[in-house]
Coordinates of all heavy atoms in Angstrom, one line a residue:
L254 N 61.7 115.5 92.5 CA 60.3 115.4 92.3 C 60.0 115.4 90.8 O 59.1 114.7 90.4 CB 59.7 116.4 93.1 CG 59.6 116.3 94.6 CD1 58.9 117.6 95.3 CD2 58.8 115.0 95.0
T324 N 93.9 101.4 56.7 CA 92.7 101.7 57.3 C 92.1 100.4 58.0 O 91.8 100.6 59.2 CB 91.6 102.2 56.2 OG1 92.1 103.4 55.7 CG2 90.2 102.5 56.9
V352 N 74.2 102.2 51.0 CA 72.9 101.9 51.8 C 73.4 101.9 53.2 O 74.3 101.1 53.7 CB 72.4 100.6 51.2 CG1 71.2 100.2 52.1 CG2 72.1 100.7 49.8
V378 N 78.8 115.7 69.3 CA 78.1 115.5 70.7 C 76.6 115.2 70.3 O 75.9 116.0 69.9 CB 78.4 116.7 71.5 CG1 77.6 116.5 72.8 CG2 79.7 117.1 71.6

Side-chain angles (χ1 to χ4, degrees):
L254 287 173
T324 301
V352 176
V378 180

